[in-house]
Amino acid sequence: MLHREADWHRDTILVVEDSPAIRKMVCAMLTQTGYNCLEANDGAEALRLLQEAGDVRLVLTDVIMPNMDGTELARQLSRTRPELRILFMSGYVDDSLVRPIGRASLFLAKPFTATALIEKVHQALDLPSLGGLDGCSGLSSA
């Protein structure tokens, strides 16, 4: 079933990005399109926010971050919040940690336009929940 445009205006997206400037820019793009946006600067903060925010439908996470990277965040969320959709983003598309994610999961390469961001978000929200995150199961944490 396709995600109806009217539903997009009610969805909440958690943006997990260690660069404040990028995080603010991404949230501005999302809110201008009608999404609600929460912000976290790493995976550990994202987990804390998700304990309090039950209505998040999508986690848009950078892959390479301090404290807890995006792949470890995705692994933990697949166990605790399997209904969440996860969209990865990274500027390190040639990095050995990022390459397998780009092939196996929803992935957005930085830099990106607002149009590319919104298209990927819609694509992610149209999918069934990613529960097991099979594409991430073989990745090692940085």
Side-chain angles (χ1 to χ4, degrees):
M1 171 183 257
L2 289 178
H3 197 71
R4 295 183 321 267
E5 188 170 342
D7 291 339
W8 296 335
H9 298 288
R10 293 189 297 253
D11 287 336
T12 300
I13 299 170
L14 173 58
V15 176
V16 188
E17 166 63 58
D18 58 314
S19 167
I22 294 172
R23 191 172 62 243
K24 298 279 184 214
M25 179 195 66
V26 170
C27 281
M29 291 176 182
L30 292 169
T31 56
Q32 287 175 359
T33 309
Y35 291 102
N36 296 314
C37 191
L38 299 175
E39 301 178 36
N41 63 13
D42 62 31
E45 183 179 11
L47 291 175
R48 285 190 299 276
L49 277 172
L50 285 167
Q51 288 177 346
E52 301 166 9
D55 62 343
V56 174
R57 290 212 45 232
L58 173 68
V59 175
L60 172 58
T61 183
D62 192 11
V63 177
I64 299 173
M65 298 178 290
N67 301 322
M68 180 188 295
D69 65 36
T71 56
E72 180 58 27
L73 172 63
R75 278 189 202 92
Q76 290 195 29
L77 291 177
S78 72
R79 291 188 297 270
T80 61
R81 297 281 302 268
E83 76 282 3
L84 285 174
R85 279 85 174 161
I86 298 176
L87 172 57
F88 293 97
M89 62 180 167
S90 183
Y92 298 101
V93 293
D94 291 330
D95 188 276
S96 62
L97 178 64
V98 175
R99 238 177 288 126
I101 295 170
R103 289 193 301 266
S105 304
L106 281 172
F107 181 80
L108 185 60
K110 295 180 199 171
F112 48 80
T113 64
T115 300
L117 170 65
I118 299 308
E119 285 174 1
K120 278 292 187 181
V121 165
H122 291 177
Q123 182 183 356
L125 290 171
D126 283 343
L127 292 174
S129 62
L130 301 178
L133 286 171
D134 295 331
C136 293
S137 60
L139 298 176
S140 59
S141 294

